[in-house]
Amino acid sequence: IKRMTIIGFTFSTVAFLLISNFPIYFVKMFATDFELIDLAAKTSPIYFGAMWIFGIQMCAQTTFVGLGKAKTSLIIALLRKVILLIPLALILPLFFGVNGIIWAEPIASFSSAITSAICGFSLFLRRRRNPGIQRGLCSFRPGRYGPSVFLWSRSSIDRFLDLCKWQIPIRG
């Protein structure tokens, strides 16, 4: 989970830096009208302003799905695009004009990323306090309604792969 979060955060940060520093090249991929290119190049750094933290939300959602908590993942996904973005896109233009619509996306993305990070960290703390019972190849952790999560340790994965080795014939 740590490695996935680092990779996701790094990728989203690099994408944010590229889009915010070179927006005109990305806009030209989708438009040919010079006025539209100019407008989009000016507003895309604002629109993608919270993209650097979006990697954390992607990793948190993937982790929740992998741990059998799809409802939490769905709520976080809906939080970003439905619960926050739609009301912000309707309310912010009343105060900021057209720029309110552009600012709605980074506000919704940042808020949902912080929320997913808090949910993920609290899940990590709960799992750390109750490490579960060691059984066989994996760590069995009972959920609220019965068995829910199997977490494979590195040594158990190695043992499992030794049992399932593929014999690939080498032609000489």
Side-chain angles (χ1 to χ4, degrees):
I1 294 173
K2 186 190 301 185
R3 185 180 302 154
M4 177 180 64
T5 305
I6 290 170
I7 291 170
F9 184 70
T10 303
F11 177 77
S12 61
T13 303
V14 168
F16 165 72
L17 291 172
L18 286 173
I19 289 173
S20 63
N21 289 323
F22 308 106
I24 198 159
Y25 298 110
F26 291 97
V27 173
K28 283 185 178 181
M29 287 187 226
F30 303 102
T32 57
D33 183 23
F34 292 113
E35 291 178 16
L36 180 61
I37 291 172
D38 186 46
L39 177 65
K42 289 178 183 174
T43 57
S44 62
I46 297 169
Y47 183 82
F48 292 105
M51 186 178 189
W52 60 273
I53 199 168
F54 183 65
I56 293 173
Q57 180 180 349
M58 290 187 304
C59 296
Q61 282 184 259
T62 304
T63 302
F64 288 132
V65 170
L67 293 175
K69 303 212 175 274
K71 288 180 185 177
T72 306
S73 177
L74 180 65
I75 289 170
I76 290 172
L78 289 175
L79 176 70
R80 179 172 171 251
K81 286 295 185 185
V82 177
I83 298 170
L84 290 175
L85 183 61
I86 292 174
L88 284 172
L90 295 173
I91 294 170
L92 289 180
L94 299 175
F95 301 104
F96 303 108
V98 176
N99 287 335
I101 296 172
I102 297 167
W103 279 100
E105 176 67 28
I107 292 170
S109 294
F110 186 79
S111 301
S112 64
I114 294 298
T115 303
S116 64
I118 290 169
C119 290
F121 191 68
S122 67
L123 179 71
F124 171 75
L125 290 177
R126 277 184 278 152
R127 296 275 180 195
R128 196 166 196 179
R129 281 188 294 221
N130 183 12
I133 307 162
Q134 196 64 266
R135 289 189 183 172
L137 293 176
C138 58
S139 176
F140 174 76
R141 297 183 184 186
R144 185 174 181 181
Y145 300 107
S148 61
V149 180
F150 289 96
L151 295 178
W152 295 81
S153 66
R154 190 169 290 192
S155 61
S156 63
I157 291 173
D158 291 338
R159 284 185 281 159
F160 179 75
L161 291 176
D162 286 339
L163 294 173
C164 302
K165 280 189 179 172
W166 287 68
Q167 298 296 324
I168 302 172
I170 300 173
R171 295 184 184 171

